């Protein structure tokens, strides 16, 4: 599957030839700057497979943003109040689902616990909801 982009609420679409995604990919757009886009489950023709890619020009060019991750992310969340803070969910055959956090716009990631991030409270961005064995939990 090729990635596509619209800038007119879905009236027209443009193919982004340099990013190819497959089933299960995740796309997250910075709520304060739509030119900053993150993607997982994708490859670029230049860099090969990667866990997370970042674009600063609305998806035209991509660079790896996965330092600290070991697999591609199954979830990506951007803090609506502080968009340089992101959460990624990752699945490993060794340890199951893990949550990673970046506070520097995906330049680096650090494991913060088990589970898979589901949502960030838009009123209180320090509150993260995550799926874990036994249900949904709130930080």
């Amino acid at each position: 599957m090729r990635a596509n982009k619209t800038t007119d609420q879905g009236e027209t679409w443009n193919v982004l030839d340099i990013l190819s995604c497959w089933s299960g990919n995740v796309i997250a757009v910075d709520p304060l700057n739509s030119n900053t886009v993150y993607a997982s489950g994708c490859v670029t023709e230049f860099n090969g497979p990667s866990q997370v890619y970042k674009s600063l020009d609305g998806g035209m060019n991509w660079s790896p943003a996965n330092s600290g991750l070991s697999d591609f992310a199954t979830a990506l969340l951007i803090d609506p109040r502080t968009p340089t803070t992101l959460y990624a969910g990752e699945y490993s055959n060794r340890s199951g689902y893990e949550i990673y956090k970046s506070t520097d716009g995906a330049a680096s990631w650090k494991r913060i616990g088990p589970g898979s991030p589901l949502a960030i409270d838009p009123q209180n961005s320090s509150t993260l909801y995550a799926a874990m064995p036994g249900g949904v939990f709130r930080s």
Side-chain angles (χ1 to χ4, degrees):
M1 168 181 8
R2 286 279 188 208
N4 295 279
K5 177 183 176 181
T6 181
T7 57
D8 57 11
Q9 290 78 42
E11 292 293 321
T12 60
W13 293 86
N14 297 308
V15 176
L16 302 177
D17 288 329
I18 64 163
L19 184 71
S20 178
C21 301
W22 56 85
S23 178
N25 64 305
V26 179
I27 305 288
V29 179
D30 182 328
L32 302 179
N33 178 0
S34 62
N35 282 321
T36 302
V37 183
Y38 301 89
S40 178
C42 303
V43 297
T44 69
E45 61 186 72
F46 304 114
N47 297 318
S50 179
Q51 295 85 358
V52 176
Y53 278 101
K54 181 178 182 177
S55 174
L56 297 174
D57 59 8
M60 296 307 297
N61 296 287
W62 297 87
S63 59
N66 55 33
S67 180
L69 296 174
S70 59
D71 271 317
F72 75 88
T74 58
L76 285 173
L77 300 177
I78 299 175
D79 185 322
R81 294 180 180 235
T82 311
T84 55
T85 298
L86 296 98
Y87 296 90
E90 184 177 89
Y91 182 78
S92 164
N93 287 330
R94 295 184 323 271
S95 56
Y97 286 98
E98 302 286 342
I99 300 172
Y100 288 79
K101 182 178 183 179
S102 173
T103 58
D104 55 12
S108 63
W109 296 88
K110 181 179 179 183
R111 182 188 173 279
I112 61 169
S116 182
L118 297 174
I120 299 168
D121 186 329
Q123 302 302 314
N124 180 2
S125 61
S126 65
T127 301
L128 176 69
Y129 294 88
M132 296 183 177
V136 175
F137 292 83
R138 181 178 70 176
S139 66

